[in-house]
Amino acid sequence: MPRFLLLYALAWAGAAIAYVPFLTILLPVRVAGLAGPADVSWLAYIAFAGALAASAGHIAFGYLSDITGNRRGWIWAGLILSCTLLFAVTRARDLTTLIMLIVGWQLALNMMLAPLAALAGDCVPDRQKGLLGGLMAFAPGLGALSGAAVTIPGLALPDARLALVGGIVACCVIPVLLVRLPARVPDPPSVDDVGPRSLWQGAMPRMWVARLAVQIAEAALFAYLFIWLRSIDPGMSDNQTARVFSLVLILSAPLALLAGPWADRRERPLLPLVLCAGISACGLAGMAFAGTLSAAIGAYAVFGIASSVFLALHSAQTLRVLPRSDRRGRDLGLFNLTNTLPSLIMPWLTLALVPWFGFAGLFVVFAVLALGAGLLLAPLTRRA
């Protein structure tokens, strides 16, 4: 089992490497070269179409992997197709072609991601899901580092960078497809059974709403961190902002790796989630009232680290609340909407609040959402 957990965490990092450098760096650079002054509108169209494709693809391919019972076959197919379409982006010369390729790539990527997420539920018992979440916490940081690595000047030409990303992804994902899988985790008792498992009945909606609440704040800070810091200190540079963002990701991963196994040993799997949600709310409140750059960065660090730990551990602990193991892929697809919906909700909240109340008003709303997430999960923190 330790070998499988490590290889699975490597594959999960490969999944992050598959989209983080492409969506944050390589795609915007390519769009800027093709569209010129129209790059912002091109990116908006691409992001909207891609989000819809990702949402639909995750549910559909998760469900198909449930029906066929062959997770790794779908992962193989998604890996090959997504890497192929990633490189095909280099041949796009107009907006229509580029959007079609991105939609196809998102579908192929989620053909890989959806069954990969469900595979953990099939193979990792509840007593090790905290450890699994801690290991999965390294994926975002590795995704960000891969973007920095493939863009090192002189390392590769722009087209070759996409091929390099695909090669790294393949090297990360293929090992878990070749290793012998652990024994399948037994199905949980039915809803009519009594005992410790009854604690989790009805937990799925709470977990879904709690993640959505925290993810909305996370998405907003991902998009507006630089602008907010510049509003406090106009001398704040993009490079300084990137360093702050990277440091938060780096610090959150080992903390998640400590918190997850601690929760396993104490048999209190959701207690770290409640604590992290509360700490996130405190960080957001501090951001709302920060008057200096140092105070703003400190408050953001509190929020960023706590929310990153929350999201990593939540991804693993979600597996224990899904009501049907034979529909695990489909249900995880529904949970994946908490990752895509914030991108549609957050801009409207920002436009509604910031012009009237500034970023302080926005952060107060986010603090309430994070606190609400903790309160939603608090009843589930009893010893399971």
Side-chain angles (χ1 to χ4, degrees):
M1 179 59 75
R3 181 175 65 167
F4 174 77
L5 285 173
L6 291 174
L7 291 180
Y8 184 86
L10 178 64
W12 197 250
I17 293 169
Y19 63 84
V20 171
F22 179 57
L23 294 180
T24 60
I25 301 173
L26 301 179
L27 179 61
V29 169
R30 184 161 296 276
V31 169
L34 291 174
D39 59 347
V40 174
S41 58
W42 273 43
L43 281 172
Y45 289 126
I46 291 169
F48 183 76
L52 293 179
S55 301
H58 207 99
I59 296 172
F61 291 114
Y63 194 23
L64 287 172
S65 74
D66 290 333
I67 295 172
T68 61
N70 182 12
R71 307 279 193 211
R72 296 208 283 192
W74 289 102
I75 297 170
W76 271 112
L79 173 64
I80 294 169
L81 284 173
S82 62
C83 290
T84 301
L85 289 170
L86 185 66
F87 188 71
V89 168
T90 62
R91 302 295 182 260
R93 295 294 181 267
D94 58 80
L95 177 60
T96 301
T97 303
L98 188 58
I99 288 180
M100 291 175 62
L101 284 171
I102 295 302
V103 166
W105 172 76
Q106 284 280 19
L107 289 172
L109 180 65
N110 283 276
M111 186 188 296
M112 180 182 77
L113 290 178
L116 181 62
L119 185 66
D122 296 340
C123 301
V124 181
D126 284 354
R127 67 179 183 276
Q128 292 184 311
K129 285 190 168 68
L131 174 59
L132 173 67
L135 292 171
M136 291 168 67
F138 288 87
L142 291 174
L145 288 175
S146 68
V150 301
T151 55
I152 294 174
L155 178 64
L157 296 174
D159 288 356
R161 289 172 179 172
L162 293 174
L164 186 57
V165 169
I168 296 172
V169 173
C171 290
C172 291
V173 175
I174 287 176
V176 84
L177 300 178
L178 300 178
V179 71
R180 182 178 179 180
L181 293 179
R184 187 180 177 91
V185 175
D187 290 347
S190 69
V191 295
D192 297 325
D193 292 338
V194 296
R197 190 76 192 186
S198 63
L199 172 66
W200 303 108
Q201 307 303 337
M204 185 176 175
R206 289 176 178 265
M207 293 284 281
W208 195 95
V209 174
R211 185 179 181 92
L212 179 66
V214 174
Q215 194 76 283
I216 289 172
E218 180 85 2
L221 268 298
F222 185 83
Y224 295 107
L225 177 62
F226 175 62
I227 296 174
W228 170 60
L229 291 176
R230 284 289 296 268
S231 71
I232 296 174
D233 184 350
M236 186 69 175
S237 69
D238 54 353
N239 180 259
Q240 290 173 305
T241 304
R243 290 206 304 265
V244 170
F245 184 74
S246 300
L247 182 62
V248 165
L249 288 178
I250 291 170
L251 292 176
S252 65
L255 288 177
L257 190 56
L258 291 173
W262 177 88
D264 290 339
R265 291 192 300 271
R266 299 297 190 279
E267 298 181 11
R268 305 288 292 275
L270 300 192
L271 182 57
L273 300 186
V274 174
L275 295 175
C276 286
I279 295 170
S280 296
C282 293
L284 287 162
M287 292 166 63
F289 300 104
T292 64
L293 182 61
S294 58
I297 291 175
Y300 168 71
V302 171
F303 161 74
I305 292 171
S307 61
S308 295
V309 173
F310 176 97
L311 294 173
L313 298 182
H314 187 285
S315 294
Q317 299 299 352
T318 292
L319 297 170
R320 72 167 69 229
V321 305
L322 302 180
R324 294 182 57 180
S325 63
D326 63 333
R327 293 294 179 262
R328 182 175 284 127
R330 178 202 63 184
D331 292 342
L332 284 172
L334 296 174
F335 260 96
N336 187 61
L337 293 176
T338 62
N339 297 325
T340 54
L341 287 178
S343 297
L344 304 177
I345 297 171
M346 173 268 298
W348 299 108
L349 273 177
T350 304
L351 291 174
L353 294 173
V354 172
W356 296 96
F357 306 104
F359 279 106
L362 185 68
F363 294 152
V364 167
V365 171
F366 290 158
V368 172
L369 288 175
L371 184 61
L375 293 175
L376 270 176
L377 298 179
L380 304 177
T381 59
R382 302 193 303 276
R383 194 174 297 272

